[in-house]
Amino acid sequence: MNTSQLLAVDLLLSVLAASAWIAAAWMTASLSDKPRRSDLGLLLVGIAVAVTVGRYALLPALVAGSWWFASERITINVPLTAIPAAWAAAAGVPFLLRRRNTGPKPASQNPRRSREWAVLAMIAAAVSAVASLALTLLLGPFPAPWSLVVLLFMVAASVLIAKLALFSPRPSSRRGTQLNTAVRGGRRGGASPAGMRPTAATAVAGLMICTALGSGVFAWLGSRSADGATIAAAVAHHSGADVVVTDPTSVNSLVGETPANAVVRHYELTARVEQVVLPSGQTTEAWTYGSLPGPALEAQLGEVMEVLLTNRDVTAGVTLHWHGYDVPNAMDGVAGATQDAVMPGESMTYRFLAAQAGTYWYHTHQDSAEGVRKGLYGTFVVHHPTSPRADTDVVVAGHDLSGLGLLGSSDRTTGHTATPGSSVRVRLINTDSVQQRYLIQGTTFKAVAVDGTEVNQPQEVTHKLVRLGAGGRVDIAFTMPDSTVTVRSDAAANAVVVIAPSGSAVTDQAAKPEEMVAEKAPAGVFVTMPVLDLLEYGKPVGGELDGAGKAAELVRPITREEVMVLDRQFRFVDGIPRYAFTVNGAAYPLVPSIEVAEGDTVKVTVVNRTSEPHPMHPHGHHVQVLSRNGVAPSGSPLILDTVDVLPGEVWELLLHADNPGIWMDHCHNLDHAAEGMMMLLKYQGVSSPFVHGGHSNNRPE
């Protein structure tokens, strides 16, 4: 099994262990004269012990898979659960066996003590198993010492409450009465209500409740306080001293420079709500920039992009974020960080130099989990004026629109023609929130660019899928054969892109797309066919690469190291309790920022502790992959703007801080971002006047 499957099994065993110990404790505490109760109690204890041991049996496999948190599991989780489980088995099994063999008759001089010991041991095991779940779902990895002290206090206090409530007689009771009560309680399976000491039990329970409620209220207030708050400027962090910034630079002023004589590419986009009729005949409501996808934007390197965005009637508000394009910070299009959302009747102009060639895309960054899903996205391609262009250049944006899988603008067949022997480039863009696998049939191909950066010496690929994490792009190139080439995605079952040889019997220039012959995909191909591993693809180059994929003359020393642990825990998000997606144990906007100075070189270690992929996207920067699970890339240097971190994986990345501003870094599964998996990369001395919420109801995810 892979790490994701092992973690899923571990979580299942954790829940089963807690349930089994709770049931065993309940059964033991409520034994009656029926022998079946003892048999059932023994069965439950056996299940609980087996499941608990099963969790420990997974540890060697997790260690072998380089799981980052194996040491935490060994040093914290194992003692927390193993010691009470051993106590429960040692005390509970003999007691239940005696009850099974002798019935309710006393089998020792002190039957009450034997029963009390067994019940409390099982309660301790049950509470410890629940505490182990709390470590996973609440506290997260490497918890602070004080949180462990609180957790252990809650465990011990729970056992104490059980003892006081079940086994402590009233102080005024006579010794003889106590013994009689204990014996009668043993026969009936529990102490009588008259034998309880409610004052002590209530006091301890009240302390636990106050601790829990106080922590919850504190967390709720913290999650609500961010609404309407501005983003403060980062301070200096070098030389061991913090320096307060007295005159911060506003993101408004970070507009970049454009040559006075540059060619200007002017586009106008109007966001609207409309009914879209797809080629299949299905009609659905969409939010668009005027088409689905939005208008295809193009430029040449060195030209100036000028895009006027107008919001006609999208009441949630819109922006334009240039995914993967390292624009000046003021043009980044993040509501609440670099601008206010553009509300109905309002407009905003984005202007920046086209300084990177490659395949990119744009989308709203205001309530984007809903906005992008409903259609507020489009493609953006920048060509290099001196690089040869393919004879046929096709852009394919994969998207799920309300459950309808699209390739480009179609949920059926999209047709193109190419002359046999000519060059073809297909630009694959995943505009969805989950990963997509692409199948190219009818030809071998080369993956010539990843996330806009050219691959060094790409090799021919055959019988392999191309996997794209959410937001990612891969350009494939091939020489057109004499037969049809098809492109399919596992996320769009009924959609297919067909590139047919022009002048053939299959098609001609007048043929309709649905009349083109598309090769059928083999059954189960998306499950059985191997995936192209981009870390092993292409050829290495000499020297280090910088963030733009260009060879650097000198190796820049690492000035900062950061760790991002991606997790899923119960947290408050905007004042609402959620099973949130967290970064370093917190949900946005409470995640501590990464603070840098311009010129820093930052090594970022990203660890996925969940059972789901997290395509992490740092705005305004590309990162160079140093390693994945401790293994460095063996192929072309991999420069990414969206890093798809699969369950259990550990990626080491190099980020050059060369684009001042306040930048989002978030999971591009936009539902995960909306539920907390976002943080900020903040440059020293930069602040933002924009607020989360406010009059524009800014929602930056």
Side-chain angles (χ1 to χ4, degrees):
M1 290 190 289
N2 58 34
T3 303
S4 173
Q5 294 167 329
L6 288 171
L7 292 175
V9 171
D10 178 75
L11 182 60
L12 176 62
L13 292 178
S14 300
V15 174
L16 290 177
S19 303
W21 281 121
I22 291 171
W26 176 266
M27 188 61 61
T28 304
S30 60
L31 284 176
S32 64
D33 295 345
K34 299 179 180 180
R36 288 184 180 179
R37 289 289 183 98
S38 299
D39 291 338
L40 186 55
L42 284 167
L43 176 62
L44 289 170
V45 172
I47 292 173
V49 170
V51 173
T52 302
V53 172
R55 288 194 69 196
Y56 308 148
L58 291 178
L59 274 175
L62 289 170
V63 171
S66 301
W67 189 49
W68 232 53
F69 304 102
S71 60
E72 175 230 4
R73 174 64 52 82
I74 293 169
T75 57
I76 299 176
N77 242 302
V78 169
L80 177 65
T81 56
I83 295 172
W87 177 28
V93 171
F95 170 75
L96 290 169
L97 286 173
R98 285 195 299 270
R99 284 298 302 268
R100 181 178 181 275
N101 296 329
T102 64
K105 296 179 180 180
S108 66
Q109 295 299 317
N110 195 349
R112 180 178 183 274
R113 177 62 62 187
S114 176
R115 176 177 175 275
E116 176 181 334
W117 197 248
V119 171
L120 292 181
M122 291 189 194
I123 289 174
V127 176
S128 297
V130 173
S132 176
L133 276 173
L135 275 172
T136 300
L137 303 177
L138 292 175
L139 298 184
F142 307 119
W146 67 266
S147 64
L148 286 177
V149 170
V150 171
L151 190 68
L152 292 174
F153 163 75
M154 303 288 271
V155 171
S158 297
V159 177
L160 178 60
I161 289 174
K163 175 177 171 55
L164 294 174
L166 295 175
F167 300 108
S168 293
R170 289 180 178 177
S172 59
S173 300
R174 294 192 306 271
R175 180 176 178 84
T177 304
Q178 294 175 11
L179 180 59
N180 291 336
T181 300
V183 173
R184 289 197 304 271
R187 290 175 179 172
R188 290 192 304 269
S192 67
M196 295 174 62
R197 182 183 291 169
T199 304
T202 302
V204 178
L207 179 58
M208 291 176 64
I209 292 171
C210 289
T211 301
L213 287 179
S215 302
V217 170
F218 180 79
W220 180 80
L221 289 173
S223 74
R224 297 295 298 166
S225 66
D227 189 59
T230 59
I231 299 174
V235 298
H237 58 268
H238 299 285
S239 303
D242 287 346
V243 179
V244 177
V245 178
T246 57
D247 187 21
T249 300
S250 172
V251 297
N252 289 326
S253 64
L254 298 174
V255 296
E257 297 182 358
T258 56
N261 58 347
V263 174
V264 177
R265 293 280 188 126
H266 182 79
Y267 293 93
E268 295 185 7
L269 306 179
T270 301
R272 66 194 72 182
V273 179
E274 59 180 315
Q275 294 292 318
V276 175
V277 181
L278 298 173
S280 64
Q282 298 201 57
T283 301
T284 185
E285 181 181 275
W287 301 355
T288 76
Y289 288 116
S291 62
L292 190 68
L297 307 186
E298 291 191 47
Q300 285 203 107
L301 204 64
E303 295 178 343
V304 172
M305 289 290 294
E306 186 177 83
V307 184
L308 173 63
L309 170 64
T310 302
N311 184 356
R312 188 178 74 182
D313 56 4
V314 179
T315 57
V318 297
T319 69
L320 281 177
H321 167 64
W322 309 93
H323 185 104
Y325 218 73
D326 301 341
V327 297
N329 195 218
M331 301 293 107
D332 195 41
V334 179
T338 64
Q339 67 170 88
D340 283 328
V342 179
M343 303 306 287
E346 298 178 347
S347 299
M348 178 171 174
T349 299
Y350 298 83
R351 184 182 173 91
F352 56 89
L353 180 67
Q356 301 164 227
T359 305
Y360 304 91
W361 62 295
Y362 62 89
H363 61 82
T364 186
H365 226 293
Q366 159 73 356
D367 199 7
S368 57
E370 183 177 17
V372 176
R373 180 170 55 245
K374 287 190 171 182
L376 287 171
Y377 69 95
T379 64
F380 175 41
V381 175
V382 178
H383 302 280
H384 198 295
T386 62
S387 297
R389 295 178 62 172
D391 299 315
T392 302
D393 198 323
V394 180
V395 181
V396 178
H399 194 76
D400 183 283
L401 181 70
S402 302
L404 303 172
L406 305 180
L407 290 180
S409 59
S410 177
D411 60 344
R412 289 296 183 262
T413 301
T414 303
H416 303 271
T417 60
T419 303
S422 65
S423 59
V424 180
R425 188 175 186 124
V426 181
R427 304 172 186 266
L428 303 174
I429 306 175
N430 182 358
T431 64
D432 216 352
S433 280
V434 295
Q435 64 178 237
Q436 299 173 345
R437 290 177 172 85
Y438 285 87
L439 172 66
I440 292 85
Q441 296 172 276
T443 185
T444 60
F445 63 91
K446 294 180 179 180
V448 295
V450 179
D451 281 4
T453 299
E454 295 291 313
V455 174
N456 183 54
Q457 299 183 42
Q459 304 102 333
E460 293 283 346
V461 178
T462 183
H463 296 113
K464 285 188 178 180
L465 301 173
V466 176
R467 182 177 62 206
L468 294 182
R473 290 92 58 217
V474 170
D475 294 8
I476 65 169
F478 56 88
T479 299
M480 185 65 198
D482 294 330
S483 56
T484 298
V485 176
T486 60
V487 179
R488 299 179 183 273
S489 168
D490 63 342
N494 298 315
V496 59
V497 174
V498 178
I499 306 170
S502 57
S504 68
V506 178
T507 184
D508 56 39
Q509 295 294 336
K512 296 179 181 179
E514 59 270 20
E515 295 174 351
M516 292 184 171
V517 177
E519 183 180 350
K520 293 185 178 180
V525 65
F526 289 108
V527 176
T528 59
M529 185 174 287
V531 174
L532 175 64
D533 189 347
L534 295 172
L535 272 75
E536 301 174 352
Y537 185 69
K539 298 294 183 181
V541 298
E544 188 204 15
L545 296 186
D546 64 14
K550 301 175 182 177
E553 293 181 3
L554 298 175
V555 176
R556 286 178 273 188
I558 294 173
T559 57
R560 286 186 63 78
E561 293 193 21
E562 298 285 346
V563 175
M564 295 169 55
V565 177
L566 313 178
D567 209 342
R568 196 165 193 195
Q569 298 160 295
F570 287 103
R571 294 290 184 269
F572 287 100
V573 180
D574 288 337
I576 301 173
R578 295 181 184 271
Y579 189 29
F581 291 92
T582 60
V583 181
N584 294 339
Y588 184 84
L590 303 180
V591 181
S593 303
I594 294 178
E595 299 188 353
V596 299
E598 187 173 2
D600 274 351
T601 298
V602 188
K603 178 184 175 182
V604 183
T605 302
V606 185
V607 188
N608 186 351
R609 197 171 179 261
T610 75
S611 59
E612 300 180 56
H614 296 299
M616 298 305 294
H617 172 51
H619 287 205
H621 301 78
H622 283 66
V623 294
Q624 179 181 345
V625 177
L626 298 179
S627 71
R628 180 187 61 197
N629 297 332
V631 180
S634 59
S636 174
L638 194 55
I639 311 297
L640 304 174
D641 55 62
T642 312
V643 183
D644 196 25
V645 186
L646 300 183
E649 287 188 341
V650 180
W651 289 64
E652 291 181 325
L653 311 169
L654 198 65
L655 182 147
H656 298 303
D658 53 8
N659 193 5
I662 294 177
W663 303 97
M664 278 289 171
D665 189 349
H666 64 95
C667 179
H668 221 274
N669 183 324
L670 297 172
D671 291 319
H672 295 181
E675 294 184 26
M677 195 167 278
M678 301 193 297
M679 64 184 303
L680 294 173
L681 172 68
K682 296 166 60 175
Y683 277 70
Q684 172 190 331
V686 179
S687 68
S688 172
F690 304 106
V691 301
H692 184 81
H695 67 280
S696 292
N697 194 29
N698 293 323
R699 296 185 59 84
E701 75 279 356

